[in-house]
Amino acid sequence: MVEYAYFNKQFMPVSEAKIGIMTHALHYGTACFEGIRGNWNGDEGKMYLFRVKEHFERLLKNCRILKIGLPYTADELCRLAVELAEMNGYAEDIYIRPLVYKSAQAVGVRLHNLEDDFLMFVVPFGNYLDVEKGCRCCISSWRRIDDTMIPPRAKITGIYVNNAMAKTEAWENGFDEAILLNMDGHVSEGSGENIFIVVDGKLVTPPPSDNILVGITRDTIMTLARQELGIETVERSVDRNELYVVDECFLTGTAAHVTPVVDIDHRMIGDGKVGDITRRLQDLYFDAIKGKNPDYLHWCTPVSRKVLA
Ligand code: PMP
Protein backbone atom coordinates (compact mmCIF):
# COMPACT_ATOMS: atom_id res chain seq x y z
CA MET A 1 0.00 0.00 0.00
CA VAL A 2 1.37 3.43 -0.96
CA GLU A 3 1.40 5.95 1.88
CA TYR A 4 0.81 9.55 0.89
CA ALA A 5 2.15 12.81 2.28
CA TYR A 6 1.44 16.44 1.51
CA PHE A 7 4.72 18.07 0.50
CA ASN A 8 5.72 21.00 -1.75
CA LYS A 9 2.05 21.98 -2.12
CA GLN A 10 0.96 18.61 -3.49
CA PHE A 11 0.07 15.06 -2.45
CA MET A 12 2.74 12.49 -3.25
CA PRO A 13 3.99 9.08 -2.02
CA VAL A 14 5.88 9.43 1.28
CA SER A 15 8.88 7.74 -0.36
CA GLU A 16 9.21 10.71 -2.75
CA ALA A 17 8.86 13.48 -0.12
CA LYS A 18 12.44 14.42 0.77
CA ILE A 19 14.09 17.52 2.22
CA GLY A 20 17.63 18.78 1.58
CA ILE A 21 20.48 18.33 4.02
CA MET A 22 20.92 22.09 4.49
CA THR A 23 17.32 22.66 5.58
CA HIS A 24 17.39 25.35 8.27
CA ALA A 25 14.83 23.63 10.53
CA LEU A 26 16.91 20.45 10.66
CA HIS A 27 19.89 22.32 12.07
CA TYR A 28 18.26 24.91 14.33
CA GLY A 29 14.91 23.42 15.39
CA THR A 30 13.05 26.21 13.59
CA ALA A 31 9.76 24.45 12.95
CA CYS A 32 6.34 24.11 14.53
CA PHE A 33 4.22 20.99 14.52
CA GLU A 34 0.85 19.60 15.49
CA GLY A 35 -0.41 16.15 16.34
CA ILE A 36 -3.97 15.33 15.32
CA ARG A 37 -5.69 12.04 15.92
CA GLY A 38 -8.01 10.23 13.60
CA ASN A 39 -10.04 7.83 15.73
CA TRP A 40 -11.43 4.70 14.18
CA ASN A 41 -15.01 3.88 15.12
CA GLY A 42 -15.22 0.14 14.40
CA ASP A 43 -19.00 -0.06 14.95
CA GLU A 44 -19.67 2.47 12.20
CA GLY A 45 -16.62 1.58 10.11
CA LYS A 46 -15.76 5.27 10.13
CA MET A 47 -12.83 7.53 10.98
CA TYR A 48 -13.23 10.85 12.81
CA LEU A 49 -10.54 13.52 13.07
CA PHE A 50 -10.75 15.10 16.52
CA ARG A 51 -10.89 18.89 16.93
CA VAL A 52 -8.88 19.26 13.76
CA LYS A 53 -9.72 22.95 13.31
CA GLU A 54 -8.48 23.84 16.81
CA HIS A 55 -5.19 22.11 16.03
CA PHE A 56 -4.70 24.16 12.87
CA GLU A 57 -5.74 27.36 14.65
CA ARG A 58 -3.04 26.66 17.22
CA LEU A 59 -0.53 25.96 14.44
CA LEU A 60 -1.37 29.26 12.73
CA LYS A 61 -0.86 31.15 16.01
CA ASN A 62 2.44 29.39 16.60
CA CYS A 63 3.59 30.36 13.10
CA ARG A 64 3.39 33.98 14.23
CA ILE A 65 5.79 33.23 17.07
CA LEU A 66 8.29 31.66 14.66
CA LYS A 67 7.70 34.32 11.95
CA ILE A 68 6.39 31.78 9.47
CA GLY A 69 3.79 32.87 6.94
CA LEU A 70 1.62 29.83 6.29
CA PRO A 71 -0.43 30.59 3.15
CA TYR A 72 -3.50 28.58 4.19
CA THR A 73 -6.51 29.26 6.39
CA ALA A 74 -7.48 26.83 9.17
CA ASP A 75 -10.37 25.60 7.00
CA GLU A 76 -8.07 24.93 4.04
CA LEU A 77 -5.68 23.02 6.30
CA CYS A 78 -8.59 20.95 7.64
CA ARG A 79 -9.59 20.04 4.09
CA LEU A 80 -6.02 18.98 3.28
CA ALA A 81 -5.90 16.82 6.44
CA VAL A 82 -9.19 15.13 5.59
CA GLU A 83 -8.07 14.53 2.01
CA LEU A 84 -4.76 13.07 3.19
CA ALA A 85 -6.52 10.77 5.67
CA GLU A 86 -8.87 9.66 2.89
CA MET A 87 -6.00 8.93 0.50
CA ASN A 88 -4.23 6.80 3.10
CA GLY A 89 -7.41 4.88 3.89
CA TYR A 90 -6.42 3.38 7.23
CA ALA A 91 -9.07 1.40 9.12
CA GLU A 92 -7.42 2.01 12.51
CA ASP A 93 -6.47 4.93 14.74
CA ILE A 94 -4.11 7.36 13.04
CA TYR A 95 -1.95 10.33 13.93
CA ILE A 96 -1.59 13.22 11.50
CA ARG A 97 1.58 15.26 11.75
CA PRO A 98 1.53 18.72 10.11
CA LEU A 99 4.85 20.59 10.21
CA VAL A 100 5.66 24.16 9.23
CA TYR A 101 9.35 24.71 8.93
CA LYS A 102 12.09 27.03 7.80
CA SER A 103 12.83 25.26 4.55
CA ALA A 104 15.63 27.58 3.39
CA GLN A 105 18.85 25.81 2.45
CA ALA A 106 20.81 28.30 4.53
CA VAL A 107 23.33 28.42 7.34
CA GLY A 108 22.89 31.02 10.10
CA VAL A 109 20.94 31.24 13.34
CA ARG A 110 17.93 33.53 12.85
CA LEU A 111 14.22 33.59 12.14
CA HIS A 112 14.14 36.39 9.55
CA ASN A 113 14.75 36.29 5.79
CA LEU A 114 14.22 32.55 5.39
CA GLU A 115 11.73 30.70 3.18
CA ASP A 116 9.36 28.35 4.90
CA ASP A 117 7.18 25.46 3.87
CA PHE A 118 4.48 23.12 5.09
CA LEU A 119 4.26 19.33 5.06
CA MET A 120 1.95 16.72 6.52
CA PHE A 121 2.00 12.95 6.85
CA VAL A 122 -0.06 10.23 8.56
CA VAL A 123 0.93 7.18 10.59
CA PRO A 124 -1.18 4.44 12.19
CA PHE A 125 -1.07 5.12 15.92
CA GLY A 126 -2.31 2.98 18.79
CA ASN A 127 -2.01 3.82 22.47
CA TYR A 128 0.98 5.90 23.51
CA LEU A 129 0.77 5.07 27.23
CA ASP A 130 -1.23 2.38 29.04
CA VAL A 131 -4.70 3.91 29.33
CA GLU A 132 -6.07 0.84 31.13
CA LYS A 133 -3.57 0.12 33.91
CA GLY A 134 -2.22 3.66 34.04
CA CYS A 135 1.38 4.85 34.13
CA ARG A 136 4.15 5.28 36.64
CA CYS A 137 5.81 8.67 36.63
CA CYS A 138 8.83 10.39 38.11
CA ILE A 139 9.58 14.03 38.67
CA SER A 140 12.22 14.84 36.10
CA SER A 141 15.60 16.25 37.00
CA TRP A 142 15.11 18.42 33.89
CA ARG A 143 13.08 21.62 34.20
CA ARG A 144 10.42 22.65 31.69
CA ILE A 145 11.68 25.33 29.33
CA ASP A 146 10.75 28.85 30.48
CA ASP A 147 8.85 31.47 28.48
CA THR A 148 11.99 33.63 28.69
CA MET A 149 13.88 30.92 26.75
CA ILE A 150 11.57 29.55 24.04
CA PRO A 151 7.79 30.21 24.13
CA PRO A 152 6.46 26.99 25.72
CA ARG A 153 2.91 27.44 24.41
CA ALA A 154 4.21 26.89 20.87
CA LYS A 155 4.93 23.38 19.64
CA ILE A 156 8.36 24.40 18.36
CA THR A 157 10.45 21.39 17.37
CA GLY A 158 13.59 22.75 19.06
CA ILE A 159 11.82 22.77 22.44
CA TYR A 160 11.30 19.05 22.26
CA VAL A 161 14.91 18.26 23.06
CA ASN A 162 13.95 19.30 26.60
CA ASN A 163 10.99 16.89 26.55
CA ALA A 164 13.11 14.10 25.04
CA MET A 165 15.74 14.51 27.78
CA ALA A 166 13.03 14.09 30.40
CA LYS A 167 11.27 11.17 28.69
CA THR A 168 14.43 9.15 28.15
CA GLU A 169 15.68 9.79 31.68
CA ALA A 170 12.33 8.54 33.01
CA TRP A 171 12.32 5.49 30.76
CA GLU A 172 15.93 4.55 31.56
CA ASN A 173 15.07 4.77 35.25
CA GLY A 174 12.17 2.35 34.84
CA PHE A 175 9.27 4.85 34.73
CA ASP A 176 6.72 5.30 31.96
CA GLU A 177 6.63 9.07 31.87
CA ALA A 178 8.31 12.20 33.26
CA ILE A 179 6.60 15.10 34.99
CA LEU A 180 8.54 18.33 34.62
CA LEU A 181 8.67 21.18 37.12
CA ASN A 182 9.08 24.71 35.80
CA MET A 183 11.90 27.06 36.78
CA ASP A 184 9.88 28.19 39.84
CA GLY A 185 9.59 24.60 41.05
CA HIS A 186 5.87 24.29 40.23
CA VAL A 187 4.49 21.28 38.40
CA SER A 188 4.24 22.06 34.69
CA GLU A 189 3.34 18.96 32.66
CA GLY A 190 4.39 15.57 31.29
CA SER A 191 6.86 15.22 28.41
CA GLY A 192 3.96 15.19 25.95
CA GLU A 193 0.88 15.64 28.15
CA ASN A 194 -0.87 18.06 30.45
CA ILE A 195 -1.49 16.97 34.03
CA PHE A 196 -4.63 16.99 36.19
CA ILE A 197 -5.10 16.08 39.82
CA VAL A 198 -8.29 15.40 41.74
CA VAL A 199 -8.50 17.19 45.08
CA ASP A 200 -11.67 16.93 47.21
CA GLY A 201 -13.74 15.97 44.16
CA LYS A 202 -12.51 18.94 42.07
CA LEU A 203 -10.10 18.96 39.16
CA VAL A 204 -6.95 21.02 39.46
CA THR A 205 -4.49 21.69 36.62
CA PRO A 206 -1.53 24.07 36.23
CA PRO A 207 -2.28 27.38 34.43
CA PRO A 208 -0.65 28.46 31.12
CA SER A 209 1.65 30.77 33.10
CA ASP A 210 3.34 27.69 34.56
CA ASN A 211 4.82 27.13 31.08
CA ILE A 212 2.47 24.43 29.90
CA LEU A 213 1.58 23.70 26.30
CA VAL A 214 -2.09 24.68 26.35
CA GLY A 215 -3.52 21.34 25.31
CA ILE A 216 -6.64 20.73 23.27
CA THR A 217 -7.26 17.50 25.21
CA ARG A 218 -6.90 19.55 28.41
CA ASP A 219 -9.70 21.79 27.18
CA THR A 220 -11.75 18.76 26.13
CA ILE A 221 -11.50 17.27 29.62
CA MET A 222 -12.34 20.57 31.32
CA THR A 223 -15.42 20.86 29.09
CA LEU A 224 -16.56 17.25 29.63
CA ALA A 225 -16.02 17.49 33.39
CA ARG A 226 -18.08 20.67 33.63
CA GLN A 227 -20.87 19.72 31.24
CA GLU A 228 -21.24 16.03 31.94
CA LEU A 229 -20.16 15.60 35.56
CA GLY A 230 -20.76 19.10 36.95
CA ILE A 231 -17.11 19.24 38.04
CA GLU A 232 -15.23 22.52 37.68
CA THR A 233 -11.50 22.71 37.03
CA VAL A 234 -9.36 25.05 39.08
CA GLU A 235 -6.31 26.36 37.20
CA ARG A 236 -3.65 27.01 39.81
CA SER A 237 -0.03 26.21 40.54
CA VAL A 238 0.64 22.77 41.98
CA ASP A 239 3.72 21.87 44.00
CA ARG A 240 5.60 18.60 43.86
CA ASN A 241 4.65 17.48 47.37
CA GLU A 242 0.94 17.92 46.60
CA LEU A 243 1.22 15.32 43.84
CA TYR A 244 2.23 12.71 46.39
CA VAL A 245 -1.02 13.00 48.36
CA VAL A 246 -3.70 13.58 45.70
CA ASP A 247 -6.74 11.32 45.38
CA GLU A 248 -6.31 10.85 41.63
CA CYS A 249 -4.00 12.03 38.91
CA PHE A 250 -4.08 11.71 35.12
CA LEU A 251 -2.33 12.97 32.00
CA THR A 252 -4.04 14.31 28.88
CA GLY A 253 -2.79 14.68 25.32
CA THR A 254 -3.62 13.85 21.75
CA ALA A 255 -1.22 10.89 21.84
CA ALA A 256 -1.80 9.89 25.50
CA HIS A 257 -5.61 10.38 25.47
CA VAL A 258 -6.53 10.30 29.19
CA THR A 259 -3.86 8.21 30.92
CA PRO A 260 -4.26 7.53 34.64
CA VAL A 261 -1.17 8.06 36.81
CA VAL A 262 -0.99 5.34 39.47
CA ASP A 263 2.42 6.06 40.98
CA ILE A 264 4.70 9.11 41.24
CA ASP A 265 8.29 8.82 42.52
CA HIS A 266 7.43 5.37 43.99
CA ARG A 267 4.47 6.75 45.93
CA MET A 268 1.14 5.15 45.14
CA ILE A 269 -1.58 7.55 43.99
CA GLY A 270 -4.84 6.83 45.83
CA ASP A 271 -5.08 3.04 46.11
CA GLY A 272 -2.83 2.54 43.08
CA LYS A 273 -5.79 1.80 40.82
CA VAL A 274 -7.52 3.98 38.27
CA GLY A 275 -9.63 6.54 40.15
CA ASP A 276 -13.39 6.91 39.79
CA ILE A 277 -13.41 10.43 38.31
CA THR A 278 -10.55 9.53 35.97
CA ARG A 279 -12.45 6.47 34.69
CA ARG A 280 -15.67 8.43 34.17
CA LEU A 281 -13.80 11.15 32.25
CA GLN A 282 -11.99 8.53 30.20
CA ASP A 283 -15.29 6.92 29.17
CA LEU A 284 -16.79 10.28 28.20
CA TYR A 285 -13.64 11.21 26.31
CA PHE A 286 -13.41 7.96 24.31
CA ASP A 287 -17.05 8.22 23.28
CA ALA A 288 -16.55 11.85 22.23
CA ILE A 289 -13.43 11.26 20.13
CA LYS A 290 -14.97 8.31 18.28
CA GLY A 291 -18.07 10.28 17.34
CA LYS A 292 -20.27 8.22 19.67
CA ASN A 293 -21.73 11.13 21.62
CA PRO A 294 -24.09 13.26 19.49
CA ASP A 295 -23.54 16.24 21.84
CA TYR A 296 -19.89 16.41 20.78
CA LEU A 297 -20.11 15.54 17.10
CA HIS A 298 -19.12 19.13 16.33
CA TRP A 299 -15.62 18.15 17.54
CA CYS A 300 -15.44 15.27 15.04
CA THR A 301 -14.73 15.54 11.31
CA PRO A 302 -15.67 12.38 9.39
CA VAL A 303 -13.29 10.91 6.86
CA SER A 304 -14.69 8.80 4.07
CA ARG A 305 -12.60 5.83 3.06
CA LYS A 306 -11.63 5.45 -0.55
CA VAL A 307 -9.74 2.21 0.00
CA LEU A 308 -11.78 -0.60 1.51
CA ALA A 309 -10.16 -3.20 3.78
N1 PMP B 1 2.23 19.14 26.48
C1 PMP B 1 3.12 18.83 25.54
C2 PMP B 1 4.56 19.14 25.78
C3 PMP B 1 2.71 18.20 24.36
O1 PMP B 1 3.60 17.88 23.42
C4 PMP B 1 1.35 17.90 24.19
C5 PMP B 1 0.90 17.19 22.94
N2 PMP B 1 0.57 18.08 21.92
C6 PMP B 1 0.45 18.26 25.19
C7 PMP B 1 0.92 18.87 26.32
C8 PMP B 1 -1.02 17.99 25.05
O2 PMP B 1 -1.58 18.80 24.03
P1 PMP B 1 -2.83 18.30 23.17
O3 PMP B 1 -3.85 17.87 24.14
O4 PMP B 1 -3.23 19.51 22.41
O5 PMP B 1 -2.35 17.21 22.31
Side-chain angles (χ1 to χ4, degrees):
M1 184 176 115
V2 180
E3 289 163 327
Y4 290 95
Y6 188 78
F7 183 64
N8 277 347
K9 300 178 183 55
Q10 56 187 310
F11 295 102
M12 62 173 72
V14 170
S15 56
E16 290 171 23
K18 308 270 189 221
I19 61 165
I21 60 168
M22 284 172 63
T23 302
H24 195 272
L26 179 64
H27 295 264
Y28 304 115
T30 45
C32 260
F33 68 99
E34 270 303 322
I36 304 163
R37 265 200 190 260
N39 301 293
W40 179 247
N41 179 327
D43 300 336
E44 291 180 26
K46 219 169 178 182
M47 169 89 72
Y48 292 99
L49 305 189
F50 190 62
R51 300 193 74 174
V52 59
K53 188 158 181 197
E54 286 90 330
H55 280 282
F56 284 124
E57 283 168 348
R58 185 168 70 184
L59 187 69
L60 284 162
K61 278 188 195 154
N62 291 341
C63 283
R64 299 205 325 236
I65 294 177
L66 269 198
K67 292 180 175 288
I68 292 181
L70 185 55
Y72 304 96
T73 63
D75 284 326
E76 285 165 348
L77 291 165
C78 288
R79 278 196 289 279
L80 289 176
V82 169
E83 205 172 329
L84 186 64
E86 284 175 356
M87 286 175 83
N88 281 288
Y90 291 113
E92 60 189 301
D93 291 347
I94 57 167
Y95 186 82
I96 303 178
R97 165 57 53 79
L99 182 83
V100 279
Y101 63 107
K102 298 284 183 188
S103 57
Q105 303 294 298
V107 173
V109 176
R110 63 181 188 277
L111 294 178
H112 60 278
N113 294 345
L114 293 166
E115 303 92 71
D116 28 62
D117 213 338
F118 169 74
L119 61 80
M120 185 160 54
F121 63 85
V122 181
V123 286
F125 205 66
N127 283 341
Y128 180 68
L129 293 167
D130 192 330
V131 290
E132 285 306 319
K133 286 205 207 90
C135 69
R136 298 175 55 253
C137 297
C138 62
I139 303 297
S140 183
S141 69
W142 297 96
R143 294 291 176 101
R144 170 75 172 158
I145 207 106
D146 192 76
D147 191 45
T148 54
M149 302 165 181
I150 311 176
R153 67 166 58 238
K155 284 180 74 69
I156 296 171
T157 55
I159 288 185
Y160 277 77
V161 174
N162 174 242
N163 306 49
M165 289 287 199
K167 177 78 183 190
T168 294
E169 178 194 53
W171 184 76
E172 287 180 346
N173 288 335
F175 297 95
D176 303 309
E177 187 52 287
I179 296 168
L180 288 94
L181 307 180
N182 64 20
M183 292 305 288
D184 300 329
H186 299 307
V187 174
S188 185
E189 59 180 7
S191 76
E193 310 86 15
N194 294 116
I195 187 167
F196 284 79
I197 54 176
V198 178
V199 182
D200 297 332
K202 283 214 177 82
L203 290 178
V204 176
T205 194
S209 54
D210 278 339
N211 290 342
I212 67 167
L213 185 278
V214 186
I216 291 164
T217 321
R218 176 181 181 270
D219 177 74
T220 301
I221 289 303
M222 288 161 79
T223 304
L224 290 173
R226 186 178 59 248
Q227 291 187 181
E228 303 299 320
L229 303 179
I231 297 176
E232 290 300 328
T233 303
V234 181
E235 290 182 77
R236 66 154 169 85
S237 292
V238 173
D239 286 330
R240 177 181 193 157
N241 72 77
E242 189 175 5
L243 289 185
Y244 294 160
V245 296
V246 293
D247 303 324
E248 299 180 34
C249 179
F250 59 88
L251 302 173
T252 63
T254 297
H257 293 308
V258 176
T259 299
V261 176
V262 292
D263 187 292
I264 300 176
D265 283 350
H266 303 289
R267 286 152 180 95
M268 203 191 263
I269 301 303
D271 60 4
K273 302 213 175 67
V274 179
D276 177 51
I277 292 178
T278 307
R279 185 62 81 202
R280 285 158 70 198
L281 284 168
Q282 250 189 351
D283 291 345
L284 288 163
Y285 166 83
F286 281 119
D287 276 355
I289 67 168
K290 286 177 194 285
K292 290 186 177 175
N293 187 333
D295 292 341
Y296 298 99
L297 267 180
H298 58 282
W299 280 342
C300 300
T301 305
V303 171
S304 43
R305 288 187 67 219
K306 289 195 179 136
V307 186
L308 294 175

